[in-house]
Amino acid sequence: MVNGTTSATKFGGTSSASPAKGKKEKRAGARAREETGIHADVEIIHSFGVHGPVRNNVGLLPILDEHGTPKDHAIFPSGQHVAMMRIEDGDMRFLVNKMRQGTMRQIVALTLSPNRKHVAICERILEELVPDATEHHRDVTHVSVYRHISTEDGRGRLTQRKTPPLTYPSDHPVHFKCVDFSSDSKLLVAVADDPDLTIVVWHWEKDKISHQCQLLNMSKEKVDVTRVCFPPNDKTCVTTSGHMSLKMWSLNPDGGVSQKNLLPPNKGQENFVDHAWMSGRGDAIRRMVAVTDGVSRDHGLNLDGKEDSREFLILIFEAMDNPSSMELRKNFSASLPGTSRVETITPYGKGFVVAGSSGFFSVYERTDDRKDPYLLIKTFSKNEYMASETFMSMAASPNDEMLVAITKDKDIYSFPLGNIDIMDDTENHFQHVCAGGLHRGKVLAMDLCLQKPVLVTCGEDRTIRLWDYQRWRCELSHECTEEPVAVALHPTGFQLLVGFKERVRVFNVLHKEMKMYREMPITKCRELQYSHGGHQFACASSISIVVYCSYTFQLLNTFTGHIGPVRRISWAPNDLSIFSAGVDGNVYGWELTTGARIEEVSQLNQSIAYSGLAVSIPKKKNEKASLIACSIDGALREVTWNWGMPDTQQIRGSEPVPNSEALNMLAQGYSSTITVVALAHNGTYLVAGTSNGAIHVYAWPLTDELTAGKVPPHVEYPVHNGAVEALCIAPDDSYVFSASADGSIFVLRISATLPVPAKGGAITAQGEGAAEEGGDGAAAEGEGDGMRALQLGMQTGLNLSLFNLDVVQVSLEELEDRRREVDDMSKKVEEMKSDNDFALHRKDLDWEIEIKRVNEEKDNLVAAEQARFSDLQKLHDETKGKHLNIVQRKEDNHVKVTQELENQYEFKLAMEMERYDKLSEEIEAIQQRCEGLLEAQAAEHESKVRDHDAKSKRVEKELRMEIEKLQDDAKHNEQAFKEVLDQQEQEYEKELQQLMDAAQVELSLERKYTNKMKKLVQDRSTTIARLEKKMYELKTAAEMRDVMLSADKVKNEKLSATLDHFKRHMEERESTLEDKEKGILELRRKNITLDNFRFVLDHRVQQLMEERGPITRHIEGLEGHIDAMYDELEREYHSKKQTDQQVDAKDMKIRTLGSELLVLRTSLVEKESYIASFKRDLSTLVGVSSPKDIEDAVKDAYHKYVKEEAPRRRAVRR
């Protein structure tokens, strides 16, 4: 369990994320343990990294947590595995992948089923076969389906199970690159396009191919399919998109596949990068949307020197009932900013999202308009933070609240799709799903802190990242101006060394940043290591190793001896010695106290470069010490000696890669070598990383197979998609960390029982059986041959008591900033308090005044209503008296009328009784006549029935005799027919056998002829393709020459026009010069005249200067007077301004009083109309004469004017 909730993925012996194994899996696991002698489980706890760039490699699905609440999980490939990460807190689960040793997997594509329960993965397998096979390796691509990935059992573990891989039998490797489920999640389609287009449809639960199609590629262009999709609620066809292709493939009942081009004949082909079927709205319309890349097919510049406009097409297809009747309904173009390129499209509940390079991200929503079914809502292309990102794959959550996207640089982002309506398209709304981001290139170095659960890495993306493996996130990230090649983290976690090609920099690891503290002029640094105590650090500077004090940064030692760059450095556990391995093939060790070289390790010197190094030094002398190193030729070499005792070394190692063919296989990934090794702190196991991304686990000390030149028994687990560059083991041996060239970092937990020999004994099956009986979590001892089994000291989780989690490092500058922020916030709080108090006081005063005014109005209204009520009550009493008198008169009149009606009724009743008696007598007479007639009719009917019965019996007897005769004839005819039929069947079988023999001979001849013709067609097709290619090249060259010629012609025409323009310009300049010379002569004459006039004016100015004295004094007096007038005007202006303000205030008061007066007048008019209405009703009431009408009118008036209710409607009396 991770963080108490998540079950990690295990490989090897057991798996906590999978159900109980079957008998077949148990037998396979037991056979693997018998081969290796090791029982081990590797749990993948977490990973920092995304495998890519892959087009279809992300999905979103809800999984219930321990409280039954659905949480969004992003599913994506990481390394050689598929990760499911809870977006809320970064918790990870992995889909189990078990493969044989020597196998490397590369995930090409994945897809989620519509019911979100299954996931299908296209995976390319590089499988190493047995040595005696005809081929040493096999390149296999198949599709795997994981079932019930989102279902948990009662203990919070996933119940996912992997089905057998779905393969396609073919003579050559078929590499599937995209896959999709049908709408009922029962069919699965996969498409491959190299070298030929292949479409395969499986009933994946039955492991049965239902449809298949393979088309030979006769064109000179490579077929490129980017997406395959099943239409919603339909399993009879699939659609594909790709380069110059957008097609529908019908799945025929006979298992074949037929194609249909979706574009009309007059429509030009485009590069369709992606397409998607839209989710239905409950109607019969089905829509499919396809997009083009938007890349311009023209040259980069026009003749005018302007850049071509860039647009991409959106094509909308519609089908009413059957998708095969789909037709292009609408196509429109959308602009692309800058050099953007469309890469992918994904549907969601309200529409679809289009994304591409340069951070291009557009959201379209569905409309009710059939002519314009989709409308652009927002385009996020002005975000500088995402300008360098290229979205390759996207997926939306089922509730349309979130969208996740994976970029080309192998990073994963989330986008709040549910808030699209309120977003600003200039801001950044994308968030890293993996908090802090990921490496976007090869991870070059890694180191681990001893006192904090942190890990530091550096990569080719020029970033240094600090990872917290307790909370699973990137705590700090620092971007460098140059590529860092080595890192080392101080045991306290507060200091960081970063090596560059020309220098080494020391950083202080602060709370929120990494701040450079010091720079050291150490060049060609390839490796950095702090001592276990943290008081010293070693640096591999080219061919030398320099040791510095980590407190004073004073150089303590310089060790030389290597003639090539140093690749690895390792400190002894007591920090009194240091060891190194270099690309020159030499391994050295030195004592730090004396500077003496440890000659025992020099026995491993050779001519092949070393890539990994691990040492085991005892605490006491005369105990066994070991050093193990791995080289680039695939060999694993070990030297052991008694510590402090000379001439006691022993050397053993495995055989290197033998020949150039094996080296070629190694370069292609079909074989692997060990690139880095790490030894557990408790000295019970050795972990190694390989060039194909696998992790090897060895028992330590290594077994005797190494002495014989063989690889020691080990267990291999696929992890990364690239070579493992670094390995680290947690201080408490709880986790193993591996970093790879694919940019991913994996956190593993190894729990195993490793049987090792006691005093040189060999591993036996009996010892392994004892280990197996001990189970996964306990140590076991064998009883035969003195065997003992060691349990790896791996804990089930982090031992947080070993870490200093309560202390962080903060700079003084940050403290001052925080103090200033606190002071500013305190001041703001005080100001807000005073403002709130003042506002509350003002509110209280305003409400008191308002309440007082309302109370006064209420009292006035109550008094007025009381007076009105008393008047109405008096009027009501008078009206009531009048009404009672009228009612009394009405009742007297009613008694008289009633008496008259009763008398009339009694007379009518007597008349009707007499009439009733007469009618009764007539009815009795009629009944007697009817009874007589009925009796006569019944007797006649009985006689007729007896006659019909006798006649039917005679007819029945005749028919029965005729039926018996016909049955006898039928039996005779049937017997004769059977005899004839048997004779004809024998004749037909003989004739059919003869025809089948002849057809078989003819078919064999036809097959031979067909094969011969196929070869001939293939040869001719190859020749035709080669000639077409040559013709295409010649045509292209001719077109280029025509373009250049036309460009030269245009250029010559422009130059001719320019020359003519220059000639005309020169002529105009010559004529202009002549005019200007004439003008200059005239100006010279005028100048002479002006000189004479100036002399006269100078004399006059001199006279005026003499007269200026009195005028100047007069002007000064005028200026003083003007100042005084200006001051007076200013005072008058201010007084006028105040007056205007007072006038405005009075005008406002007048308007306010006017509005109040208007309200009062309106109220008065309403009341007058109310009174007038009441008077009219009273007048009407007085004119009513009927008592009932008077009562109804009074009640209506009471409800209308007293209770202020709507008048009741009464039925109109007739």
Side-chain angles (χ1 to χ4, degrees), residues 235-459:
K235 300 189 294 183
T236 62
C237 61
V238 296
T239 54
T240 60
S241 60
H243 181 65
M244 300 296 177
S245 173
L246 183 63
K247 296 182 179 181
M248 174 177 285
W249 305 82
S250 299
L251 306 181
N252 302 327
D254 59 355
V257 180
S258 58
Q259 62 175 323
K260 173 187 175 183
N261 197 350
L262 292 177
L263 295 178
N266 58 352
K267 184 70 177 177
Q269 294 290 340
E270 294 283 346
N271 182 16
F272 295 96
V273 293
D274 207 352
H275 76 284
W277 286 88
M278 298 297 104
S279 57
R281 298 176 295 172
D283 53 10
I285 300 176
R286 303 180 186 180
R287 289 196 179 102
M288 188 191 78
V289 179
V291 293
T292 63
D293 56 359
V295 175
S296 177
R297 296 289 185 269
D298 299 329
H299 299 289
L301 295 174
N302 293 327
L303 295 175
D304 297 337
K306 297 182 180 179
E307 187 177 355
D308 289 338
S309 60
R310 300 173 61 84
E311 293 181 344
F312 71 98
L313 290 178
I314 299 177
L315 287 80
I316 301 175
F317 297 85
E318 283 189 2
M320 294 303 295
D321 295 323
N322 188 3
S324 60
S325 62
M326 187 168 58
E327 60 181 8
L328 180 62
R329 176 65 61 182
K330 182 178 179 58
N331 64 326
F332 58 94
S333 61
S335 61
L336 280 172
T339 59
S340 300
R341 182 181 187 274
V342 175
E343 294 289 347
T344 183
I345 179 176
T346 188
Y348 74 106
K350 297 180 180 179
F352 60 90
V353 180
V354 181
S357 61
S358 302
F360 175 70
F361 188 89
S362 290
V363 181
Y364 290 80
E365 284 192 1
R366 184 176 55 242
T367 64
D368 295 330
D369 189 358
R370 289 289 302 276
K371 295 182 179 180
D372 293 318
Y374 293 98
L375 179 66
L376 176 63
I377 301 300
K378 290 284 178 66
T379 296
F380 300 88
S381 60
K382 302 176 183 179
N383 184 6
E384 297 180 357
Y385 181 79
M386 301 295 293
S388 61
E389 300 291 354
T390 299
F391 298 103
M392 299 299 294
S393 185
M394 299 184 297
S397 61
N399 57 5
D400 298 329
E401 291 296 326
M402 181 182 296
L403 179 141
V404 294
I406 290 183
T407 65
K408 189 175 182 180
D409 292 332
K410 297 186 288 189
D411 207 342
I412 181 167
Y413 291 92
S414 66
F415 181 83
L417 198 58
N419 303 330
I420 189 68
D421 296 330
I422 59 175
M423 290 182 182
D424 186 358
D425 56 2
T426 61
E427 297 180 358
N428 177 37
H429 303 282
F430 292 90
Q431 299 292 331
H432 287 284
V433 172
C434 300
L438 302 169
H439 276 295
R440 304 192 174 195
K442 180 179 179 181
V443 179
L444 300 174
M446 178 173 64
D447 197 16
L448 200 65
C449 180
L450 298 180
Q451 297 183 13
K452 288 179 178 293
V454 294
L455 178 78
V456 65
T457 57
C458 66

Side-chain angles (χ1 to χ4, degrees), residues 79-81 99-106 126-128 665-676 688-696 716-725 740-742:
Q80 296 191 41
H81 307 284
M99 296 184 292
R100 54 182 291 183
Q101 290 194 11
T103 302
M104 181 177 179
R105 180 172 85 155
Q106 181 181 4
L126 302 178
E127 198 170 49
E128 185 179 350
M665 291 170 55
L666 179 64
Q668 295 179 3
Y670 297 116
S671 183
S672 63
T673 60
I674 297 176
T675 56
V676 62
T690 65
S691 59
N692 65 355
I695 297 294
H696 292 181
E716 180 179 354
Y717 304 98
V719 179
H720 298 279
N721 264 322
V724 179
E725 296 291 333
S740 171
D742 64 355

Side-chain angles (χ1 to χ4, degrees), residues 541-561:
S541 175
S542 186
I543 61 174
S544 301
I545 298 173
V546 290
V547 180
Y548 286 86
C549 176
S550 59
Y551 303 115
T552 63
F553 297 97
Q554 180 182 359
L555 180 62
L556 301 179
N557 298 94
T558 301
F559 300 109
T560 58

Side-chain angles (χ1 to χ4, degrees), residues 703-910:
T703 56
D704 292 339
E705 280 82 358
L706 192 63
T707 306
K710 299 179 181 179
V711 178
H714 64 278
V715 180
E716 180 179 354
Y717 304 98
V719 179
H720 298 279
N721 264 322
V724 179
E725 296 291 333
L727 280 174
C728 291
I729 300 177
D732 57 350
D733 293 330
S734 57
Y735 292 148
V736 175
F737 304 88
S738 65
S740 171
D742 64 355
S744 64
I745 303 163
F746 272 79
V747 184
L748 313 171
R749 182 193 294 131
I750 302 175
S751 56
T753 303
L754 305 180
V756 297
K759 299 182 180 180
I763 297 177
T764 63
Q766 186 176 4
E768 169 59 19
E772 193 170 343
E773 291 173 4
D776 294 337
E781 295 183 359
E783 297 179 358
D785 300 332
M787 290 298 298
R788 59 188 177 89
L790 294 178
Q791 169 70 24
L792 295 188
M794 308 298 287
Q795 303 179 8
T796 59
L798 283 176
N799 186 5
L800 299 180
S801 62
L802 300 177
F803 299 117
N804 185 13
L805 301 175
D806 299 330
V807 180
V808 295
Q809 190 171 210
V810 182
S811 64
L812 291 175
E813 182 180 356
E814 186 176 354
L815 283 177
E816 291 296 330
D817 292 341
R818 293 294 177 270
R819 189 178 293 112
R820 284 195 295 269
E821 289 178 3
V822 170
D823 294 339
D824 294 340
M825 292 301 293
S826 300
K827 292 179 181 178
K828 289 181 180 179
V829 168
E830 293 297 332
E831 292 177 357
M832 291 176 66
K833 283 183 179 179
S834 61
D835 293 341
N836 287 334
D837 293 340
F838 179 72
L840 288 173
H841 182 64
R842 288 290 304 273
K843 287 286 184 183
D844 292 339
L845 294 177
D846 294 341
W847 279 112
E848 287 178 359
I849 296 171
E850 183 68 18
I851 289 170
K852 186 177 180 181
R853 185 183 63 79
V854 170
N855 288 333
E856 291 177 355
E857 290 180 355
K858 183 185 69 174
D859 294 338
N860 295 332
L861 288 174
V862 168
E865 290 297 326
Q866 286 178 351
R868 178 171 167 269
F869 176 76
S870 61
D871 296 338
L872 291 173
Q873 185 67 31
K874 186 184 297 183
L875 183 61
H876 173 69
D877 293 339
E878 293 177 356
T879 306
K880 186 176 180 181
K882 294 179 182 179
H883 175 68
L884 290 176
N885 295 329
I886 294 172
V887 169
Q888 185 64 35
R889 288 196 301 272
K890 291 286 184 181
E891 287 180 353
D892 295 341
N893 189 22
H894 176 69
V895 170
K896 293 179 181 179
V897 172
T898 303
Q899 187 66 32
E900 293 176 355
L901 289 175
E902 286 179 355
N903 296 331
Q904 293 176 2
Y905 175 75
E906 288 177 355
F907 176 74
K908 288 182 180 180
L909 182 62

